[in-house]
Amino acid sequence: MPRHSERTQSWRVGVLFSQTGVTSVIEKTQLNGTLLAIEELNSAGGVLGRQIEPVIYDPASEPYRFRDLALQLTNVDKVNVIFGCYMSSTRKAVLPVVERHNALLFYPTLYEGFEFSPNVIYTGAAPNQNSVQLAHFLMESFGKRFYFVGSNYIYPYESNRIMRDLVRQSGGEIIDERYLPLDAVEEDFESVVVDIVKNQPDVIFSTVVGQATAHFYRAYARAGLNSDMIPIASLTTNEADIREMGAEVACGHYTSAPYFEGIETEENECFVARFRARFGADEPVTSGAEAAYFQVHLFAEALKKSGDIGTEVLRNELMGGEYSAPQGRVRIDPDNGHTYLWPRIARVDANGRFVVVATTSSAVKPDPYLVSPQVNDWSLRQFKIMQTAPHMANRSKLK
Ligand code: ACM
């Protein structure tokens, strides 16, 4: 397999983010993050004097399209580095292809953990970098009676299994758990909302993803519910979803993620300004976009050292690789190919912006198999809740 495009002497890489289908709203932001990093590197002269040449396809939010296009990239386009995937079902579809061809998938999305492949670099959060902190925060702030609502595929089932363990360890309970199709619309959530009102949990943990997210939050608001009564907390609801559902519907709900658009550091403000200058003032910057952006820079740093895009040499340079990302300094953990990240929790304000209410003082080592972390995880000692929730005030209105 040629290790770079022989005609142009460029470094050719594959890019698989959906521009159509149920998760296109978030994946377009990941495509933007990827392209921004590639363009920045190319305008600074490329890597070792060669431009990075992205081969971009639209897998339309369908796992089988991801698999077919990964095969196209490895077999026809002769690419061995792929940036892509949002839903875990799509990563699982690409995994056998990259393993069979000894290629490298850079995956910039939070996921359920319990996976390791030498052919994947995981740059989104593992459960010990978002779920553990969120469980702790929600039980401290609201109570221990949880209701789960999710989309019907692997990530919600597995993420709920982890959250259930964390809640039960602290003596909490799961009132019910519901799964809806990925293409569920507002009316589909009505019976779930009725059940929530009937059961009155302390908090809702949502693993609904993609376009259904706005439908769920809207159905919730239309039934007269809001975050003061029972907050919705998520690992996935992001700036692009809020743009879809509107500030009024999103206001007061929570997300746990390593990155939010409004993080007040110079690094992030410059990143957001460059992102907006390139893609438009209204384009949302998400946690997925930030990971998509910094993972290209981690790849470029490794490539600079290896001088060769071959999988083995590149992976050797990637392990332990560091980069000053917009969220803070990140590092690929040589133990497991996941990334040290900065857990945060944010609450949506009345203008539809995430305001960080809890954060860490250092990056947290990824533990994809949750070997040690539990709700009493050592890293929680560094996790500071800065703003307690304006909670419970209106709970009586439900009764
Ligand atoms: C996900 O499916 N990993 C969000």
Side-chain angles (χ1 to χ4, degrees):
M1 185 189 293
R3 292 311 187 198
H4 56 82
S5 167
E6 277 156 11
R7 189 169 45 83
T8 60
Q9 294 292 299
S10 57
W11 305 107
R12 189 187 279 185
V13 297
V15 179
L16 289 184
F17 292 112
S18 305
Q19 295 158 59
T20 54
V22 289
T23 49
S24 56
V25 167
I26 168 71
E27 291 191 57
K28 276 186 207 160
T29 75
Q30 294 179 300
L31 176 62
N32 287 348
T34 306
L35 294 179
L36 182 65
I38 292 175
E39 288 168 13
E40 280 175 6
L41 287 157
N42 284 345
S43 63
V47 178
L48 302 174
R50 294 186 199 153
Q51 299 282 289
I52 300 171
E53 179 192 341
V55 181
I56 303 170
Y57 294 116
D58 172 14
S61 313
E62 295 285 355
Y64 79 93
R65 291 288 295 147
F66 273 88
R67 183 203 56 216
D68 290 352
L69 289 170
L71 280 167
Q72 159 84 22
L73 283 168
T74 50
N75 290 346
V76 181
D77 301 311
K78 304 295 181 197
V79 152
N80 72 309
V81 168
I82 300 173
F83 300 101
C85 298
Y86 179 74
M87 281 190 284
S88 289
S89 49
T90 67
R91 184 192 70 258
K92 294 278 191 199
V94 168
L95 199 55
V97 178
V98 291
E99 289 187 341
R100 177 83 188 266
H101 290 83
N102 194 23
L104 268 181
L105 171 68
F106 287 76
Y107 178 56
T109 308
L110 71 113
Y111 85 111
E112 62 281 1
F114 293 87
E115 186 180 287
F116 166 77
S117 168
N119 297 95
V120 182
I121 302 294
Y122 302 82
T123 57
N128 76 304
Q129 296 167 315
N130 55 10
S131 301
V132 171
Q133 293 77 7
L134 187 61
H136 170 74
F137 174 81
L138 295 175
M139 287 188 282
E140 289 278 305
S141 306
F142 302 109
K144 295 182 175 175
R145 299 177 69 250
F146 281 51
Y147 193 106
F148 292 169
V149 185
S151 296
N152 193 5
Y153 76 105
I154 180 173
Y155 156 74
Y157 283 101
E158 283 297 296
S159 188
N160 281 341
R161 182 180 62 74
I162 292 161
M163 187 58 86
R164 186 184 309 110
D165 283 352
L166 294 168
V167 172
R168 282 190 181 156
Q169 269 176 42
S170 296
E173 61 176 317
I174 311 307
I175 306 296
D176 204 349
E177 75 191 281
R178 295 288 190 96
Y179 296 93
L180 283 93
L182 282 161
D183 60 356
V185 294
E186 199 173 316
E187 292 71 45
D188 297 324
F189 286 99
E190 280 170 5
S191 66
V192 176
V193 173
V194 167
D195 198 46
I196 289 169
V197 172
K198 192 174 119 212
N199 282 291
Q200 296 192 35
D202 295 323
V203 64
I204 297 154
F205 177 52
S206 169
T207 47
V208 176
V209 304
Q211 66 190 29
T213 306
H215 291 307
F216 172 43
Y217 284 60
R218 274 205 213 104
Y220 193 72
R222 203 150 59 89
L225 299 175
N226 62 45
S227 60
D228 286 342
M229 298 170 177
I230 308 170
I232 303 172
S234 166
L235 310 173
T236 48
T237 302
N238 59 66
E239 289 80 352
D241 294 320
I242 291 174
R243 217 60 62 93
E244 293 290 302
M245 69 182 81
E248 212 175 311
V249 166
C251 183
H253 296 303
Y254 292 88
T255 293
S256 175
Y259 173 86
F260 294 97
E261 191 179 71
I263 291 173
E264 288 170 348
T265 61
E266 205 182 315
E267 214 102 50
N268 184 47
E269 281 161 10
C270 292
F271 167 64
V272 171
R274 292 197 303 278
F275 196 100
R276 296 250 163 84
R278 169 64 180 85
F279 301 109
D282 290 332
E283 281 305 302
V285 190
T286 62
S287 175
E290 189 248 4
Y293 171 82
F294 78 66
Q295 70 175 11
V296 173
H297 281 286
L298 282 167
F299 154 76
E301 294 285 317
L303 183 57
K304 237 186 266 172
K305 290 185 197 143
S306 66
D308 183 335
I309 203 169
T311 297
E312 304 297 337
V313 280
L314 196 56
R315 185 176 38 228
N316 281 345
E317 295 299 344
L318 279 161
M319 293 303 131
E322 295 191 25
Y323 186 73
S324 278
Q327 68 176 271
R329 195 151 181 89
V330 298
R331 173 171 185 265
I332 300 176
D333 187 349
D335 289 348
N336 52 42
H338 292 61
T339 309
Y340 281 74
L341 298 171
W342 297 75
R344 293 178 168 94
I345 293 171
R347 181 175 190 268
V348 183
D349 73 7
N351 298 314
R353 295 201 193 94
F354 280 114
V355 176
V356 174
V357 295
T359 191
T360 44
S361 53
S362 61
V364 170
K365 178 180 166 69
D367 183 8
Y369 286 91
L370 278 174
V371 175
S372 56
Q374 303 294 337
V375 273
N376 55 358
D377 174 21
W378 64 269
S379 68
L380 280 176
R381 275 182 241 137
Q382 306 165 50
F383 195 65
K384 296 270 175 304
I385 298 175
M386 287 123 57
Q387 255 183 50
T388 45
H391 62 291
M392 304 307 215
N394 292 317
R395 284 187 62 78
S396 56
K397 287 187 191 159
L398 264 176
K399 306 206 168 133

